Amino acid sequence: EVLTFDELEINLTRRSISLRGEAVELTELEFDLVAYLAVKPGVPVTRDDILEDVWGVKLTSYETNVNSAINRLRRKLEPDPREPRYLLTVWGVGYKWVDRDGAAR
């Protein structure tokens, strides 16, 4: 399955991502995090949920690891990491992938 968001293409079957037609190098964990969020666009996900579902741990002391991973992904995927277009912060909750229609709600 391939998910397309503007210039970003996520191939879930091949576990690959391209931005403007160029391959983006991600670690296994980074890809898992992108896929986890992108398959449910617009749905806010807590850091705890990410830790449990992607990392496989239930320790809230690792929440800073989630923040660090998000920041690394933004540097790799976002045209301007300071103004994210795909990987959005939901204040007081966690993160979400942009809605399917591209609207950052």
Side-chain angles (χ1 to χ4, degrees), residues 33-82:
L33 179 52
V34 169
Y36 177 74
L37 294 169
V39 296
K40 46 186 169 221
V43 177
V45 180
T46 68
R47 288 172 185 82
D48 288 342
D49 287 341
I50 291 170
L51 282 169
E52 188 171 337
D53 297 340
V54 179
W55 267 259
V57 297
K58 293 184 180 187
L59 303 171
T60 57
S61 60
Y62 283 86
E63 285 185 353
T64 56
N65 292 19
V66 174
N67 298 342
S68 296
I70 295 291
N71 288 332
R72 281 193 310 276
L73 283 170
R74 284 180 174 157
R75 285 192 299 272
K76 292 179 178 186
L77 302 177
E78 298 287 355
D80 180 358
R82 292 167 294 161

Side-chain angles (χ1 to χ4, degrees), residues 10 16 31 38 48 55 79 82 86 88:
I10 304 165
S16 64
F31 182 86
D48 288 342
W55 267 259
R82 292 167 294 161
Y86 304 112
L88 308 176

